[in-house]
Amino acid sequence: PSRDPQGAVRDPDSSVPQDWEQRQEEDTLLIERILLLVRNVLHVPPDPTEEQQGVDGDASVHDRVLWALHISGMDDLLKFLASAQVEQQWALHVLEIISLMFRDQ
């Protein structure tokens, strides 16, 4: 089965995504692991030597990671998870990620 951008599982023989409530335990674990990975990547402290060199103009490594998350659509997914009533179980993970996104701003 494939997934649409919001993570709903699609049956290859059907054009209708499965309901969020019908997620399997492995889907829930996968979502949690992805959120933890994003949180951990954003939590990595900056390297002072690389930040002083200005590798990509004024963009720090943190800013480039944020830009990559934006380009991939992860920021839209985080906004969805933060605002969807049925996705309250991810609220703390999303809060941590958003907090880390605004680190050093």
Side-chain angles (χ1 to χ4, degrees):
S2 64
R3 296 179 185 276
D4 69 9
Q6 278 74 37
V9 178
R10 290 188 183 271
D11 184 355
D13 301 327
S14 168
S15 62
V16 180
Q18 288 183 5
D19 234 358
W20 281 93
E21 291 81 27
Q22 294 178 356
R23 277 186 287 202
Q24 302 294 321
E25 180 66 23
E26 64 189 39
D27 295 328
T28 302
L29 287 172
L30 180 63
I31 293 168
E32 182 176 23
R33 288 175 181 155
I34 290 170
L35 290 173
L36 289 174
L37 175 64
V38 171
R39 184 203 61 191
N40 290 344
V41 167
L42 290 171
H43 199 270
V44 173
D47 181 8
T49 58
E50 187 172 327
E51 297 298 323
Q52 288 175 353
Q53 294 173 358
V55 175
D56 192 14
D58 291 332
S60 67
V61 174
H62 182 75
D63 291 339
R64 288 183 279 160
V65 169
L66 291 178
W67 182 248
L69 289 174
H70 171 68
I71 294 298
S72 71
M74 185 64 151
D75 57 341
D76 293 327
L77 183 59
L78 290 170
K79 286 188 280 189
F80 170 76
L81 290 175
S83 63
Q85 187 71 25
V86 295
E87 299 302 330
Q88 288 182 346
Q89 64 184 351
W90 310 119
L92 186 58
H93 293 303
V94 172
L95 181 64
E96 286 180 305
I97 290 169
I98 290 172
S99 172
L100 290 168
M101 290 172 85
F102 286 107
R103 180 183 77 188
D104 298 332
Q105 296 299 316

